[in-house]
Amino acid sequence: MSTEIRELVTACGGWLYGAARVRYAELVEEWTVAVAAERRIEVVEAA
């Protein structure tokens, strides 16, 4: 997912407007949720 974020930012030359900005926000939210879920699983497994 972080790869998709990098590709989007690179394709836009670092300037996110309109639909690109919306897509960026969606990807960051998805990535944040995925990382949080992964961390919860690791904590449960370690306990």
Side-chain angles (χ1 to χ4, degrees):
M1 199 163 317
S2 61
T3 303
E4 291 178 78
I5 294 169
R6 256 185 256 119
E7 289 173 356
L8 177 63
V9 173
T10 301
C12 294
W15 299 96
L16 298 168
Y17 295 104
R21 181 69 181 165
V22 171
R23 182 63 183 142
Y24 173 81
E26 291 170 349
L27 288 170
V28 169
E29 183 177 346
E30 290 173 20
W31 180 72
T32 303
V33 170
V35 169
E38 184 177 292
R39 287 184 178 166
R40 283 188 210 115
I41 291 169
E42 289 175 8
V43 171
V44 171
E45 290 175 357

